[in-house]
Amino acid sequence: MSTLHELHRPLGSTGFQVSPLGLGTVKLGRDQGVKYPNGFTIPDDAQALALLQQARELGINLIDTAPAYGISEQRLGPLLRGQRDEWVIVSKTGEEFEQGRSHFDFSPAHTRLSVERSLKRLETDRIDLLLVHSDGNDLAVLRETGVYETLAELKREGKILAYGVSGKTVEGGLLALEQGDCAMVTYNLSEQGEKPVLDYAASHAKGILIKKALASGHACLADGVDPVRASFELIFAHPGVSSAIVGTITPAHLAANVATVAAVLQGIR
C-alpha cells in the first residue's frame, strides 16, 4: 500500500513538516452551499473516525477546517481526542456560515472571538496555522480591517503558531506571504492565475497550501489521460507547494489520491 509517511515536507519556515496531501473537512460539517458535482451525505461519527484513522495510516498529518464548514470544528474536537500531537491543524477566521448563507467579519474583536471559539471547539490549546478566510477583497481585508495585526498578536500569545490567508487574488497572496507565513491558493488544471504566489513562496521559504486541487471534483481531461494524476503532476512540479488539500469522504478515493501523489512525488525525486 502506498503511503505518504516518508514524503512529508516543510510548510515554509513554520517548522512544521506536513504531508503533501491534507484532509479537508467541509464534508464533515456542511452539505449546503457547496459546489461539488455530486451530492453527498455527511458521514456519521463512526465513519468520520474511520476516515481520520485511514488518513493517519496513509501518512496524512495535515487537517483543514474552518468555522464556515458548518459543524466541522465541533466534530473534530472529540474525534481527535488523544491524537492532538499527530496532526497539524489548519483553521480559519473571517467567514461565518449560518442559515445557509456566508457572511464575513474581519474585525479584531471578531477575529479574536473566532480563534478562541475554534480553540474550544477543537479542544486544543493552539491552532498550528490560522488562515484569513477572505471574501475575495484580499488587499482591502489585509490592509484595512486589522485582521493580520490581530493574528500577529495571537501568534505572540501562542494561541496560533502560524498565520496566513486563503485568498483569491495574486496581490492578496503576495501580501499575505510578505507579512505572514502561508497562503492557500487555487491552482489546478484549469486555474493557474495565482502561480506568481507559488513562485514567491518558493523563493522566500513561505508555505503554500493548494485548494481546489482537483477543481472541487470537476477535474476532467480527454484522450485517456487520468485527470487526478495530471492534476497532481502539475501541482507538485512546482517547488513552492507544501501540500494540496483534498476534501473526500470516500475511503477508496482517499487511498487512490494518496497512491497517485506518492507515485508522482517518487517520480519527481
Side-chain angles (χ1 to χ4, degrees):
M1 180 176 69
S2 297
T3 76
L4 304 174
H5 289 287
E6 305 302 319
L7 296 169
H8 289 196
R9 63 246 314 269
L11 181 64
S13 302
T14 63
F16 292 114
Q17 292 283 324
V18 296
S19 49
L21 273 189
L23 184 66
T25 62
V26 173
K27 291 181 177 180
L28 293 189
R30 171 178 158 187
D31 58 4
Q32 294 177 288
V34 289
K35 298 176 181 176
Y36 299 104
N38 302 306
F40 63 93
T41 301
I42 294 175
D44 63 25
D45 283 353
Q47 292 168 322
L49 199 58
L51 187 76
L52 291 167
Q53 182 177 349
Q54 178 193 15
R56 280 182 64 192
E57 290 171 353
L58 291 171
I60 293 174
N61 76 333
L62 179 71
I63 194 159
D64 176 69
T65 185
Y69 294 172
I71 57 169
S72 173
E73 287 184 321
Q74 294 97 306
R75 296 192 70 197
L76 285 173
L79 289 169
L80 296 180
R81 279 177 195 157
Q83 305 175 38
R84 179 61 188 90
D85 293 337
E86 306 296 323
W87 295 96
V88 175
I89 295 180
V90 182
S91 194
K92 306 183 187 75
T93 185
E95 182 178 355
E96 301 286 324
F97 185 79
E98 296 169 329
Q99 276 127 25
R101 300 184 58 135
S102 283
H103 63 92
F104 295 87
D105 187 341
F106 304 103
S107 66
H110 178 79
T111 301
R112 188 168 280 277
L113 178 152
S114 177
V115 171
E116 298 281 5
R117 184 186 60 191
S118 292
L119 289 167
K120 286 191 179 71
R121 288 174 171 176
L122 292 163
E123 300 184 6
T124 183
D125 61 350
R126 82 279 183 194
I127 294 169
D128 300 313
L129 173 63
L130 203 289
L131 300 175
V132 180
H133 217 163
S134 177
D135 60 1
N137 300 302
D138 300 347
L139 287 181
V141 167
L142 289 173
R143 289 174 173 166
E144 300 170 16
T145 65
V147 65
Y148 238 34
E149 291 81 355
T150 306
L151 293 183
E153 290 172 8
L154 289 161
K155 183 177 178 179
R156 286 193 291 271
E157 294 167 18
K159 292 178 178 177
I160 65 176
L161 303 186
Y163 63 93
V165 173
S166 175
K168 298 182 181 179
T169 66
V170 169
E171 297 79 11
L174 293 174
L175 184 58
L177 292 181
E178 287 169 19
Q179 300 179 358
D181 303 297
C182 183
M184 180 180 276
V185 303
T186 298
Y187 190 68
N188 57 43
L189 292 171
S190 56
E191 293 183 74
Q192 295 156 43
E194 292 176 71
K195 182 176 177 291
V197 184
L198 278 64
D199 297 341
Y200 181 93
S203 59
H204 291 80
K206 299 288 186 171
I208 289 286
L209 301 180
I210 301 297
K211 58 184 172 180
K212 301 179 184 174
L214 303 177
S216 299
H218 294 274
C220 56
L221 283 174
D223 303 324
V225 177
D226 176 2
V228 174
R229 175 146 192 149
S231 297
F232 288 135
E233 285 176 342
L234 169 76
I235 288 166
F236 292 110
H238 198 293
V241 173
S242 308
S243 185
I245 307 300
V246 292
T248 185
I249 50 173
T250 305
H253 287 170
L254 188 62
N257 286 341
V258 165
T260 301
V261 168
V264 166
L265 287 174
Q266 284 156 354
I268 290 172
R269 291 198 306 181

